[in-house]
């Protein structure tokens, strides 16, 4: 027996109790020390999704070093997109390289794997099409562009600049998806390729490579033109959903086919027209869009008027003379706001007068908020409302391009010079989007993503969030009170699951120990295990 004097804390008393029971106690540092800790949970999540989707079998049926490298590139593009050199260094700061056996890979090994991928692209796209496209399927196609660094890439050309990157050559990329927006195939084209000329190779791809004898192609008004439709009709088995260009719409308004009385009861009206034999025309009116366009037009007209008044003042003051010089200055001002069609001009060597063409303004105002869907799909197969929804679904392809070109996948800027390397880089990004697309849907209940569709809503009305998604956005929390996260935020949260390398100080023996996941992380991993292809 012994008496302990002085203050003894509860923690010290508990230790003494264990000692008195005969237990041998050692300090944690004497048992083992953590020599390394790597983020692992986000890697586990992405690889679990890729396994569920069968990405490795998609790339090649047999294991190989090239397959492992491309799998790693796709996974890291989802996790933290970087250049190829930076990727081969950064993936060592996670468990990804060890998980896929590419610890010794450098950028040169990656480039060789990219060359291997290009040779297999057609086969991979064929597997994707077999899994997601069936006979009579609805297929969406759109074209975008991205700029290229340097002057050596043969695909790089000056063209329609969607990135607003002046002085940079670009390449075009065409994305083919199913009706849900899931990517199926990617085409990389010279930067000066126009939308219509990019379309017919997709038709050939769908028929010859994917074996579809009939399908419905959805494309925007600049993609599916009258000339393309004539070729569709000659080929047979091809239906389409697109929209009329503004010039064609104007004709329908002028000849009285489209009148305000059409929209007395609802915002869409179906009709036929002699100029479009065998097609259905669905005229839609979006009042909100109409008001926005009217307001914007008035702003542009007012801004152009101010610019022209300054030119007029210079002419009247004698500072600007000569019909050619005056015309050049006026042309610059009209081109700035693209309002030349709404002004009448009188230019002389020492005089300049202008006025707004109210007839032109009124004619354009009659089309405010109105657009016309044209389709060859019969009504028994596709209602007017569903035809409108199908055309508006092109926003899913546009979203894919935004994800590619934004911080999520960082497809740009492109530094590769060889055409095949550019194609491989873009194809890796497409496959990464394929993985991310499925992960986003699986994690909808844990993120801000809207889990509901609005198919029963007026198809012409602007898209709105569901009440549940609005609630998540306003409260920044899920229905159970836990935090709502973005896709990236959820990946970062999973990254707090670490794989630790522990070492016994006396023997030098090492062993791994992984952080136990919390309930949110367990739920996220469980949701990925339920992904359906």
């Amino acid at each position: 027996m012994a008496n302990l004097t002085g203050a003894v804390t509860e923690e010290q008393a508990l230790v003494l109790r264990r000692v008195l029971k005969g237990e041998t106690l050692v300090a944690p540092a004497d048992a083992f020390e953590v020599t390394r800790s790597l983020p692992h949970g986000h890697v586990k999540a992405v690889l679990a999704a890729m396994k569920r989707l069968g990405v490795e079998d998609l790339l090649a049926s047999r294991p190989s070093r090239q397959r492992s490298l491309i799998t790693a590139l796709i996974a890291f593009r989802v996790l933290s997109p970087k250049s190829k050199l930076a990727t081969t260094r950064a993936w060592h700061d996670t468990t990804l390289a060890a998980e896929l056996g590419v610890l010794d890979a450098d950028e040169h090994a990656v480039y060789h794997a990219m060359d291997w991928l290009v040779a297999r692209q057609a086969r991979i796209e064929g597997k994707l099409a077999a899994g997601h496209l069936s006979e009579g399927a609805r297929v969406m196609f759109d074209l975008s562009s991205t700029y290229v660094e340097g002057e050596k890439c043969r695909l790089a050309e000056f063209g329609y600049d969607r990135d607003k990157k002046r002085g940079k050559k670009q390449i075009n990329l065409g994305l083919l998806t199913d009706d849900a927006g899931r990517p199926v195939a990617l085409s990389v084209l010279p930067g000066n390729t126009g939308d219509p000329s990019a379309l017919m190779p997709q038709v050939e791809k769908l028929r010859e490579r994917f074996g579809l004898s009939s399908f419905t192609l959805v494309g925007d008004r600049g993609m599916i033109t009258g000339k393309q439709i004539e070729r569709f009709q000659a080929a047979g088995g091809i239906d389409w959903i697109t929209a009329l260009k503004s010039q064609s719409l104007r004709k329908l308004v002028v000849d009285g086919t489209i009148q305000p009385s059409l929209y007395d009861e609802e915002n869409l009206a179906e009709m036929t027209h002699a100029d479009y034999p065998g097609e259905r025309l669905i005229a839609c009116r979006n009042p909100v869009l109409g008001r926005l366009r009217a307001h914007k037009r008035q702003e542009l007209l007012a801004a152009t008027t101010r610019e022209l008044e300054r030119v007029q003042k210079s002419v009247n003051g004698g500072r600007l003379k000569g019909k050619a010089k005056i015309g050049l200055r006026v042309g610059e001002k009209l081109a700035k706001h693209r309002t030349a069609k709404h002004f009448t001009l009188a230019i002389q060597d020492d005089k300049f007068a202008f006025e707004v063409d109210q007839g032109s303004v009124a004619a354009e105002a009659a089309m405010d908020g109105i657009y016309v869907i044209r389709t060859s799909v019969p009504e028994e197969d596709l209602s007017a409302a569903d035809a409108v929804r199908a055309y508006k679904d092109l926003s899913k392809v546009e979203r894919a391009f935004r994800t590619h070109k934004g911080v999520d996948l960082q497809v740009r800027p492109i530094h590769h010079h060889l055409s095949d390397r550019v194609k491989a880089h873009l194809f890796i990004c497409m496959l990464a989007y394929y993985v991310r697309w499925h992960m986003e849907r699986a994690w909808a209940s844990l993120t801000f993503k809207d889990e509901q569709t609005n198919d029963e809503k007026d198809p012409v009305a602007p898209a709105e969030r569901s009440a549940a998604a609005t609630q998540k956005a306003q409260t920044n929390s899920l229905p159970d009170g836990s935090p709502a996260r973005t896709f990236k935020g959820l990946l970062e949260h999973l990254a707090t699951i670490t794989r630790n390398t522990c070492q016994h100080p006396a023997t030098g023996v090492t062993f791994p120990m992984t952080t136990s996941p919390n309930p949110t992380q367990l739920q996220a991993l469980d949701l990925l295990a339920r992904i359906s292809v």
Side-chain angles (χ1 to χ4, degrees):
M1 298 180 62
N3 292 323
L4 299 176
T5 60
V8 177
T9 66
E10 182 178 357
E11 182 179 357
Q12 291 169 333
L14 291 173
V15 172
L16 287 171
R17 177 180 291 177
R18 295 181 65 180
V19 171
L20 293 173
K21 286 182 177 181
E23 294 183 24
T24 301
L25 303 183
V26 296
D30 295 332
F32 65 87
E33 60 179 342
V34 179
T35 59
R36 195 179 189 194
S37 182
L38 292 176
H40 172 64
H42 59 334
V43 172
K44 182 178 180 180
V46 173
L47 293 182
M50 294 176 70
K51 183 177 181 180
R52 184 71 179 172
L53 294 169
V55 171
E56 287 189 323
D57 290 335
L58 191 67
L59 297 173
S61 57
R62 296 180 180 178
S64 67
R65 180 166 176 77
Q66 290 87 352
R67 191 181 81 167
S68 297
L69 283 167
I70 296 300
T71 302
L73 288 174
I74 294 169
F76 208 78
R77 182 63 53 174
V78 177
L79 292 168
S80 179
K82 289 177 172 60
S83 69
K84 304 303 178 295
L85 174 61
T87 295
T88 57
R89 296 175 179 177
W91 64 26
H92 290 280
D93 295 329
T94 72
T95 58
L96 179 66
E99 288 288 300
L100 295 175
V102 294
L103 285 167
D104 61 337
D106 58 14
E107 69 274 20
H108 301 294
V110 165
Y111 293 148
H112 290 308
M114 291 171 68
D115 297 337
W116 172 87
L117 177 66
V118 168
R120 305 186 65 83
Q121 179 173 345
R123 191 178 304 176
I124 295 168
E125 290 176 344
K127 292 180 181 179
L128 287 171
H132 303 301
L133 300 179
S134 58
E135 194 65 34
R138 187 185 305 157
V139 186
M140 298 190 290
F141 179 75
D142 203 0
L143 195 70
S144 188
S145 61
T146 187
Y147 61 91
V148 176
E149 297 291 348
E151 298 291 333
K152 296 182 180 180
C153 179
R154 293 183 179 180
L155 290 170
E157 298 285 352
F158 289 110
Y160 176 57
D161 183 12
R162 297 171 177 85
D163 291 342
K164 308 302 179 187
K165 199 77 173 178
R166 293 184 179 180
K168 293 283 189 182
K169 290 185 177 181
Q170 64 180 27
I171 56 173
N172 285 346
L173 50 153
L175 187 62
L176 197 68
T177 77
D178 66 1
D179 58 354
R182 185 189 287 107
V184 172
L186 182 76
S187 299
V188 181
L189 307 166
N192 56 0
T193 305
D195 287 10
S197 57
L199 184 62
M200 290 312 296
Q202 308 307 314
V203 173
E204 296 171 5
K205 181 184 296 184
L206 288 164
R207 288 207 147 168
E208 296 176 10
R209 280 176 42 192
F210 300 161
L212 300 180
S213 59
S214 64
F215 51 87
T216 299
L217 197 57
V218 185
D220 65 30
R221 65 196 74 197
M223 182 72 64
I224 301 180
T225 63
K227 185 178 293 185
Q228 308 299 330
I229 287 176
E230 290 177 2
R231 299 175 71 177
F232 293 168
Q233 291 171 329
I238 305 173
D239 284 308
W240 59 89
I241 301 173
T242 186
L244 291 182
K245 291 185 176 181
S246 58
Q247 302 94 318
S248 302
L249 174 58
R250 185 188 297 271
K251 291 179 181 178
L252 297 181
V253 173
V254 170
D255 69 15
T257 302
I258 296 178
Q259 302 177 25
S261 60
L262 290 172
Y263 308 106
D264 289 342
E265 297 183 2
E266 54 183 340
N267 287 330
L268 59 83
E270 186 171 338
M271 63 196 70
T272 57
H273 195 278
D275 292 345
Y276 306 95
E279 294 186 69
R280 300 160 58 204
L281 301 181
I282 304 160
C284 308
R285 185 191 63 173
N286 185 333
V288 176
L289 179 61
R291 288 192 292 271
L292 290 174
R293 287 182 176 174
H295 179 69
K296 182 177 181 180
R297 180 173 52 254
Q298 291 305 318
E299 287 187 332
L300 292 175
L301 288 174
T304 306
T305 298
R306 290 192 294 269
E307 298 275 3
L308 294 180
E309 285 174 347
R310 294 190 186 100
V311 176
Q312 192 176 52
K313 188 175 181 179
S314 297
V315 173
N316 294 339
R319 295 185 298 275
L320 182 62
K321 297 180 179 180
K323 188 174 182 179
K325 290 183 178 180
I326 296 172
L328 183 62
R329 182 75 61 83
V330 170
E332 291 175 354
K333 304 304 181 184
L334 293 174
K336 182 178 180 180
H337 300 296
R338 299 181 180 180
T339 53
K341 59 186 175 182
H342 295 317
F343 285 88
T344 57
L345 311 171
I347 302 175
Q348 299 178 13
D349 286 336
D350 56 354
K351 292 182 180 180
F352 167 56
F354 69 93
E355 64 178 354
V356 177
D357 185 346
Q358 296 298 338
S360 174
V361 173
E364 185 174 273
M367 299 186 296
D368 284 346
I370 296 176
Y371 57 94
V372 177
I373 305 299
R374 61 184 298 194
T375 179
S376 61
V377 183
E379 186 176 4
E380 56 268 23
D381 295 331
L382 189 71
S383 68
D386 285 340
V388 177
R389 292 189 184 98
Y391 182 76
K392 293 176 75 171
D393 277 345
L394 281 171
S395 62
K396 297 174 182 177
V397 190
E398 294 167 359
R399 182 181 180 279
F401 285 134
R402 288 195 300 272
T403 304
H404 274 71
K405 296 195 284 186
V407 296
D408 299 314
L409 296 178
Q410 292 186 20
V411 73
R412 61 185 180 186
I414 295 174
H415 293 277
H416 297 289
H417 295 158
L418 299 179
S419 297
D420 279 353
R421 298 274 170 84
V422 172
K423 292 177 180 179
H425 167 69
L426 292 169
F427 193 51
I428 288 169
C429 291
M430 190 208 87
L431 293 173
Y433 180 73
Y434 178 81
V435 174
R436 182 188 170 105
W437 186 92
H438 286 89
M439 292 181 69
E440 283 184 344
R441 290 168 70 93
W443 280 351
S445 61
L446 298 178
T447 63
F448 290 101
K449 186 177 178 64
D450 200 337
E451 303 172 58
Q452 301 176 16
T453 58
N454 296 317
D455 289 345
E456 297 181 0
K457 189 182 173 184
D458 177 5
V460 181
E464 294 181 0
R465 281 182 171 182
S466 68
T470 301
Q471 182 72 11
K472 287 195 290 187
Q474 290 175 345
T475 63
N476 294 322
S477 61
L478 303 176
D480 63 359
S482 60
R485 293 178 168 86
T486 62
F487 179 83
K488 183 179 179 181
L490 189 51
L491 277 179
E492 290 172 347
H493 182 60
L494 282 161
T496 61
I497 300 175
T498 60
R499 177 176 291 170
N500 308 295
T501 302
C502 304
Q503 184 178 44
H504 190 276
T507 63
V509 174
T510 62
F511 60 92
M513 182 178 291
T514 302
T515 309
S516 298
N518 62 34
T520 298
Q521 293 166 337
L522 282 172
Q523 187 178 2
L525 295 171
D526 181 62
L527 289 171
L528 294 178
R530 304 179 193 176
I531 289 178
S532 58
V533 183

